[in-house]
Amino acid sequence: MFSFFKRKSKEAAQESSIVKDEVEVSQEETGRAASVETDTDSLAMEGAAAEAEAEAEAEAEAEAEAEAEAEAEAACVKAEESSVKQENAVVDDETSEAETPADETPVQDVATAQVEPEKRSWFSRLRQGLSRTGQNLGGLFVGVKVDESLFEELETALIMADAGMDATTSLLTALRARVKKERLTDAQAVKAALQEILAEHLRPLEKTFPVGRHKPLVMMIAGVNGAGKTTSIGKLAYNFQLQGHRVLLAAGDTFRAAAREQLMAWGERNNVTVIAQDGGDPAAVAFDAVNAGRARDTDIVMVDTAGRLPTQLHLMEELKKIKRVIGKADAQAPHEVLLVVDGNTGQNAIAQIRAFDAAIGLTGLVVTKLDGTAKGGTLAAVAAGAQGVRPVPVYWIGVGEGLEDLQPFVASEFAAALLGSE
């Protein structure tokens, strides 16, 4: 009996020990789980902090790169400005050493610096205006032999440029003689020789406009419709005023209100008085303008006339009447009778010059619209006296619509532009 209770007591103690062990194991597992959860949360917090720190570092790096790029650009700009200043300084030094005499003042240096770029700009515009002919003629001298085929191609190109047979024959005869005499074998040397011969051929057309010879100097302007008479008058008024001359305009085209309004607009633009009538006799307008010019102590009076074709005989007779009436206001006037010729008309310009010269006795030409489509060889035909035309001097040539795009004719410049030379 005693052994029975002893066994039961022993089993109860074992069960209590087992329960105690299970409780301890359970507590240990709970502790481990809590530890794992704590570690996980800690790792998550550490990861978030690491990500935020990485983003901050990336932003800092981006800002540093942007600042570096800005500093690099600023350095480049400063370097370019420094380079430009150095180049300008070198150019100024070269200009002062090469062109400026020792006794000239800095003001004269500035004037020279302003004139030279304008002259180069004018020649570049002229060369561009005659680029069509310049490419056709100048291109013949690239990589070729100096033989008969070159002369044949030159003959074709000159005729296609509206130079006409007379001028073409004269120019090529002189060129052949020059090549034979100087034994030229280089194509570029032949081109240079042709340029000199062409300049000499055009030289009779080069003449300085005789402003100041009379006071007032009366100019009568004629031409066909669309040649650019009114625009040329406006540009000439602008250029004459730049030279210090007082100008008065006469709106002799009384048939077209638009022509009168256009001339009055040019007068307002240049601050020049315009004598005009709403309709009426154009000869009477010209007469009043000459008297007004004398009364107002004007230097130059320019009389616009209505555009007309040489075949319109009644209008050509009216043009003669205008000239006669101007002569009644001033016995020696008009002192200059100019014909405005469109540079794109080609050989038709020869017929115009001949007809107007026969009617009113031309003293000079204004050739307009030499701005890309004109061939330019017509002046060579005029200089050669082709088709019985008289070689009337060319006072001005125009290459565009700007006020500075009408300049005096210079034979050497025109010849260089016609051959596409620099």
Side-chain angles (χ1 to χ4, degrees), residues 175-184:
L175 182 61
R176 289 177 187 274
R178 179 85 168 266
V179 169
K180 183 177 180 180
K181 179 181 179 181
E182 299 182 7
R183 298 180 180 180
L184 301 178

Side-chain angles (χ1 to χ4, degrees), residues 63-381:
E63 291 179 357
E65 289 179 358
E67 291 178 359
E69 289 180 358
E71 291 177 358
E73 286 185 7
C76 290
V77 170
K78 289 181 179 179
E80 289 179 0
E81 291 178 352
S82 177
S83 176
V84 169
K85 290 179 180 179
Q86 291 177 356
E87 290 177 359
N88 290 339
V90 171
V91 171
D92 292 340
D93 292 342
E94 292 177 351
T95 302
S96 61
E97 291 176 2
E99 297 181 357
T100 308
D103 56 347
E104 284 193 353
T105 63
V107 175
Q108 290 171 322
D109 291 341
V110 173
T112 303
Q114 291 175 346
V115 170
E116 279 304 314
E118 182 179 349
K119 185 136 182 108
R120 286 195 297 270
S121 177
W122 159 248
F123 178 74
S124 66
R125 295 200 299 272
L126 176 61
R127 186 173 180 268
Q128 182 179 2
L130 296 175
S131 60
R132 180 178 177 181
T133 300
Q135 292 172 1
N136 292 338
L137 280 173
L140 297 178
F141 297 94
V142 179
V144 297
K145 294 182 179 180
V146 180
D147 53 16
E148 187 59 29
S149 62
L150 175 60
F151 287 99
E152 291 176 358
E153 291 180 357
L154 280 174
E155 181 179 21
T156 302
L158 286 169
I159 292 174
M160 292 297 293
D162 288 329
M165 282 303 302
D166 293 337
T168 299
T169 301
S170 175
L171 291 171
L172 291 183
T173 299
L175 182 61
R176 289 177 187 274
R178 179 85 168 266
V179 169
K180 183 177 180 180
K181 179 181 179 181
E182 299 182 7
R183 298 180 180 180
L184 301 178
T185 57
D186 180 66
Q188 292 303 314
V190 176
K191 179 182 177 181
L194 178 59
Q195 182 175 324
E196 293 178 5
I197 292 170
L198 181 58
E200 288 300 319
H201 179 83
L202 295 170
R203 198 83 64 192
L205 304 182
E206 182 182 321
K207 183 180 179 181
T208 303
F209 186 75
V211 65
R213 184 183 57 183
H214 299 277
K215 188 171 182 178
L217 180 69
V218 181
M219 301 166 56
M220 181 177 171
I221 318 292
V224 303
N225 287 319
K229 293 190 313 301
T230 307
T231 301
S232 296
I233 291 173
K235 293 178 181 179
L236 289 174
Y238 170 78
N239 288 325
F240 285 142
Q241 283 191 311
L242 286 182
Q243 299 171 22
H245 303 296
R246 300 181 62 188
V247 182
L248 185 144
L249 306 179
D253 187 353
T254 60
F255 296 102
R256 292 191 308 122
R260 183 175 63 256
E261 292 172 359
Q262 184 183 5
L263 190 66
M264 293 182 71
W266 275 106
E268 293 177 1
R269 185 176 182 180
N270 296 322
N271 195 24
V272 172
T273 302
V274 179
I275 305 298
Q277 292 182 5
D278 187 5
D281 187 359
V285 175
F287 184 86
D288 292 343
V290 175
N291 287 329
R294 184 186 302 109
R296 301 180 187 188
D297 195 30
T298 303
D299 298 310
I300 298 172
V301 176
M302 287 189 283
V303 180
D304 189 13
T305 60
R308 64 205 70 213
L309 295 173
T311 55
Q312 296 172 315
L313 298 180
H314 63 292
L315 294 180
M316 295 298 286
E317 288 299 322
E318 183 182 74
L319 201 60
K320 296 178 183 178
K321 176 186 175 182
I322 295 173
K323 183 181 180 183
R324 289 196 303 270
V325 172
I326 289 175
K328 292 180 180 179
D330 184 337
Q332 296 181 332
H335 308 102
E336 294 290 336
V337 181
L338 308 183
L339 178 67
V340 179
V341 179
D342 185 339
N344 295 296
T345 56
Q347 287 291 301
N348 188 38
I350 303 296
Q352 293 179 21
I353 295 170
R354 186 172 61 249
F356 279 93
D357 190 26
I360 54 178
L362 300 177
T363 62
L365 302 176
V366 180
V367 182
T368 63
K369 304 181 182 181
L370 296 172
D371 53 0
T373 57
K375 297 179 181 179
T378 306
L379 295 187

